[in-house]
Amino acid sequence: MIVLRHADELNRLDALRQPGPLVLVPTMGALHEGHLSLVRQGAALGKVVVSIFVNPTQFGPGEDFAAYPRDLEGDLAMLDHAQVAAVFAPPVEDVYGGPGEVTVRAGRRAEGLCGAARPGHFDGVLTVVAKLFGMVRPDIAVFGSKDAQQCLVIEQMVRDLRLPVSLIDAPTVREPDGLAMSSRNRYLDPEQRTRALCLSRALARGRALLESGRRESGAIEAAMGEALAAADSIDYAAVRSLPALGATESVPDGPLVLAVAARVGPARLIDNVALRVELRGVTEIRLLGHRAPAGD
Ligand code: AMP
């Protein structure tokens, strides 16, 4: 496994480009089994480069940039046992050095949900993802559908800027009791860890209502909100269309996402499930690859 700690070493990736494809798995480190599942999916497609970079521009003032868990040695030890060809773990100056006047502005998909709760967050995400694409020049990039809005916003950037990279969305990896794995779960004490289960339970509640034939978004969102009562505060409990992330009064047949975000103790946690609602029933689906309606 090649470890690149500086951007000026990136030419060492050239040895991995033939035979391709080169697959990028971007992360912020503090790795867990969810990240490793992205690596495994990438390794089935080509040679995997994992980037480890806690991106300052996607954190708002008062958010956890300084406190975000950093454990490069632990991460490298974990990746050494995975099918990883290279790790790119640059310092902030190598990514943001220079005047830094040009950034990416996220489109309409970034307006609600986490975009509303975290102003500027997705501009920061897209800017760093564009930089990582420019530096690593992958053929394929793998993102977790755990961060559903992030996946969709990146998909829109790749499409709109005609970036020559294919995107793969990987399913959310959960703890046995349903909690979505997250680096931020490290912030939780045992009591908070128990309460954090309310996120996956809220999604199950929303899904059960859809399965029972309910279609009013307001009622489904209210029921998910009730299920989140164990959280310290709720950012959102939402039913949104795919891929546009639009809100509708009544759930139409087709792809949708149930999405929740809530604070439990010091951690802001998110979770979601992508579903297709049809007359025949409700099935879980992949997040990406749904055709965007004209104008989205
Ligand atoms: P992060 O390090 O939190 O920025 O995440 C890096 C990548 O791993 C993103 O594409 C995330 O969506 C993905 N990811 C995080 N948690 C999970 C999980 N529990 N299951 C699958 N993918 C995940």
Side-chain angles (χ1 to χ4, degrees):
M1 185 172 83
I2 307 171
V3 179
L4 310 171
R5 288 175 187 261
H6 288 283
D8 63 9
E9 299 171 80
L10 281 165
N11 56 3
R12 293 178 65 196
L13 293 181
D14 290 344
L16 304 176
R17 292 185 198 282
Q18 293 302 331
L22 198 63
V23 184
L24 175 64
V25 177
T27 81
M28 298 206 299
L31 300 180
H32 50 67
E33 192 52 41
H35 297 112
L36 293 184
S37 81
L38 269 55
V39 168
R40 279 193 289 273
Q41 293 193 47
L45 300 169
K47 303 219 186 76
V48 173
V49 181
V50 174
S51 62
I52 299 179
F53 182 67
V54 185
N55 173 37
T57 65
Q58 70 187 70
F59 291 80
E63 289 189 355
D64 57 346
F65 174 67
Y68 196 84
R70 290 166 174 85
D71 177 18
L72 184 57
E73 294 316 314
D75 290 344
L76 292 177
M78 212 161 155
L79 294 176
D80 215 16
H81 298 111
Q83 295 159 281
V84 175
V87 175
F88 177 46
V92 172
E93 318 79 79
D94 285 20
V95 179
Y96 285 101
E101 289 178 13
V102 177
T103 58
V104 182
R105 188 174 57 79
R108 230 179 311 166
R109 291 181 186 178
E111 279 171 10
L113 306 178
C114 289
R118 305 180 70 188
H121 169 70
F122 287 114
D123 293 353
V125 168
L126 291 189
T127 298
V128 81
V129 169
K131 283 170 179 269
L132 289 169
F133 285 175
M135 286 188 280
V136 174
R137 290 182 287 121
D139 304 292
I140 298 170
V142 187
F143 293 91
S145 21
K146 151 86 170 23
D147 297 275
Q149 192 175 17
Q150 169 172 287
C151 272
L152 291 159
V153 166
I154 291 169
E155 182 189 53
Q156 199 173 31
M157 171 177 78
V158 165
R159 190 192 63 193
D160 287 1
L161 300 186
R162 276 63 169 167
L163 300 181
V165 59
S166 302
L167 300 181
I168 305 286
D169 56 321
T172 301
V173 177
R174 297 176 179 282
E175 303 285 357
D177 61 6
L179 179 68
M181 290 192 185
S182 163
S183 305
R184 291 189 168 98
N185 292 350
R186 296 186 188 198
Y187 298 151
L188 302 170
D189 68 22
E191 182 270 335
Q192 293 160 347
R193 167 72 182 71
T194 305
R195 285 194 288 125
L197 284 176
C198 67
L199 279 91
S200 54
R201 290 198 181 128
L203 298 175
R205 180 98 174 261
R207 182 177 178 163
L209 282 179
L210 286 167
E211 281 167 350
S212 73
R214 294 293 292 273
R215 293 291 180 268
E216 318 88 294
S217 301
I220 296 164
E221 291 176 346
M224 292 199 295
E226 271 169 36
L228 289 175
D232 293 307
S233 62
I234 302 172
D235 262 3
Y236 58 78
V239 184
R240 292 288 183 271
S241 67
L242 283 176
L245 293 180
T248 48
E249 231 171 82
S250 157
V251 178
D253 281 3
L256 63 80
V257 62
L258 303 179
V260 292
R263 188 167 290 277
V264 180
R268 181 181 182 277
L269 302 174
I270 61 172
D271 201 351
N272 73 87
V273 61
L275 300 171
R276 179 179 300 281
V277 174
E278 290 168 309
L279 209 54
R280 283 179 286 146
V282 177
T283 43
E284 199 160 334
I285 55 168
R286 297 295 283 260
L287 187 66
L288 295 185
H290 302 285
R291 200 185 315 179
D296 172 50

